[in-house]
Amino acid sequence: MDNENTLRASRWANKEQWGWSYDTYIELVDAVDFLKAILLCTKGDGVISPKEREWVLGFAASREMPTSVIEEVESYSGDEDIADVLSRSGIVESGKKGTIYWAIKACSADGEYPEAEKNAVRKMAVLMGISEQVVKEIEEVIIEEQKLRDKRNSLVYDNKIFWQDN
């Protein structure tokens, strides 16, 4: 897909999912730290699984993040302190609940959301001043989204998979 279509696809997806239109995007350093914060939560259980990392990289690509940002987090080990990463990023500060939402989605990308990852998300939330109740509500929304996606697939496609990796 060429760059023009990539931009069109990303902006369409944002409009479809969130109702947002935009012409500007976050600074590169903020993008890197945002993705690092998410990856640090996925490493709450000691490992960034390949599926979790791939989810974060796919998310970054779908949000028009440059190759340089994606390459930087592609090999990110997740050995930083979450407080240090959060203190550097204005976008994480201004989008606290969104960061929690995306971190939970990334943590769940491998089909699991273990207690250690939940604890990492909660640690990040505390550092950002987000209550336990809000984190639980975000987790519930993600569960509801999954159930709705399953219901939609059942209704519209009879649970058939038309595109799947072999």
Side-chain angles (χ1 to χ4, degrees):
M1 190 179 323
D2 64 25
N3 191 46
E4 182 180 332
N5 281 333
T6 300
L7 294 175
R8 180 178 289 141
S10 175
R11 291 175 186 199
W12 179 89
N14 271 305
K15 180 76 170 171
E16 181 67 17
Q17 183 176 16
W18 300 100
W20 298 345
S21 296
Y22 58 92
D23 291 322
T24 59
Y25 207 68
I26 64 175
E27 298 293 323
L28 297 185
V29 68
D30 284 335
V32 169
D33 285 333
F34 170 71
L35 296 173
K36 284 181 176 181
I38 291 170
L39 284 168
L40 284 167
C41 290
T42 68
K43 193 173 179 182
D45 61 354
V47 171
I48 301 171
S49 77
K51 287 182 179 181
E52 290 167 338
R53 187 179 302 276
E54 189 56 37
W55 187 95
V56 171
L57 297 174
F59 172 77
S62 76
R63 293 301 195 254
E64 303 175 41
M65 293 185 192
T67 302
S68 62
V69 169
I70 294 169
E71 288 173 347
E72 187 166 342
V73 298
E74 192 167 26
S75 60
Y76 180 62
S77 65
D79 293 329
E80 289 181 275
D81 186 303
I82 187 68
D84 293 337
V85 174
L86 294 177
S87 70
R88 295 190 306 249
S89 179
I91 195 68
V92 171
E93 178 62 28
S94 65
K96 295 175 186 180
K97 292 178 190 176
T99 304
I100 296 296
Y101 174 85
W102 295 117
I104 295 167
K105 296 283 283 185
C107 288
S108 305
D110 58 1
E112 300 175 358
Y113 183 38
E115 285 302 313
E117 289 178 355
K118 288 179 183 179
N119 292 338
V121 167
R122 280 158 173 75
K123 177 181 178 182
M124 185 170 69
V126 166
L127 290 169
M128 294 189 297
I130 297 174
S131 72
E132 171 74 12
Q133 181 58 37
V134 169
V135 174
K136 286 181 180 180
E137 287 178 36
I138 293 170
E139 289 170 336
E140 289 170 7
V141 163
I142 291 169
I143 291 167
E144 289 174 27
E145 287 174 342
Q146 179 62 46
K147 287 178 182 177
L148 185 57
R149 184 177 76 183
D150 293 346
K151 182 178 180 180
R152 181 187 62 225
N153 285 341
S154 176
L155 175 64
V156 176
Y157 292 113
D158 298 321
N159 287 322
K160 294 177 187 168
I161 299 173
F162 288 97
W163 294 278
Q164 182 174 330
D165 294 338
N166 294 324

